[in-house]
Amino acid sequence: MTIWFGDVTGVDLNAMAGASLIETLGIEIVEIRDDAIVARMPVDRRTTQPAGVLHGGASVALAETLASWAGYLAVDRSALHVVGQEINANHIRPVSSGWVTATATPAAIGRRAHVWEVRIVDESGRLVCISRCTLAVIEQRSSYSAPEGRGAHA
């Protein structure tokens, strides 16, 4: 049984991410499962720190992006919107190249708040970062849109 609201097969999250931090960091949604969402991010000049390893802030941006997309898919988007409220992250091991893959699963999906757990692993499946993100669910139509629909916010 799916945790998503409505039909999500036609929702093109990657297209909606254009002209945003998500695109800048190279984050791509690669899979939407019945109970999780999966994305990947390159470990390259955009996402590393001066020591040459994945920047912790890039990991947090990946985690919040994925939690936010998950929350977006889990609510009635015609009446509700989700916004990040709190995030924490534990950085476990460095990565200097390749890709990291993140999987977001729900810890709690409530009417007013969601809590998502995001596990980020390297190409060998080793844990790189674990994060927990709390989203507030607010009563307004979702404002997520593709770049051309953002108006003054673009």
Side-chain angles (χ1 to χ4, degrees):
M1 179 176 208
T2 186
I3 61 173
W4 312 123
F5 186 89
D7 180 18
V8 300
T9 57
V11 178
D12 190 347
L13 302 177
N14 290 320
M16 289 173 62
S20 72
L21 178 69
I22 300 166
E23 180 182 58
T24 299
L25 295 178
I27 297 170
E28 305 169 352
I29 300 299
V30 294
E31 184 179 9
I32 299 174
R33 302 177 188 155
D34 284 345
D35 61 349
I37 184 170
V38 182
R40 69 182 192 152
M41 181 177 69
V43 179
D44 63 16
R45 63 174 180 72
R46 297 169 290 179
T47 58
T48 55
Q49 44 130 302
V53 296
L54 182 62
H55 192 293
S59 294
V60 171
L62 173 58
E64 184 156 354
T65 296
L66 203 51
S68 294
W69 280 133
Y72 169 80
L73 294 177
V75 300
D76 177 355
R77 296 169 291 284
S78 69
L80 300 170
H81 184 60
V82 296
V83 293
Q85 193 169 33
E86 189 274 340
I87 190 164
N88 67 51
N90 295 100
H91 306 289
I92 309 300
R93 81 170 18 88
V95 180
S96 58
S97 64
W99 291 82
V100 290
T101 301
T103 303
T105 56
I109 300 176
R111 290 185 318 113
R112 298 279 180 221
H114 294 184
V115 179
W116 294 90
E117 180 181 273
V118 182
R119 296 176 65 84
I120 301 172
V121 299
D122 65 14
E123 291 178 315
S124 297
R126 296 175 299 183
L127 187 63
V128 171
C129 176
I130 187 164
S131 179
R132 188 177 61 226
C133 184
T134 302
L135 303 176
V137 180
I138 57 176
E139 291 183 17
Q140 78 175 45
R141 180 180 185 83
S142 179
S143 59
Y144 284 12
S145 65
E148 60 276 4
R150 293 188 198 137
H153 301 293

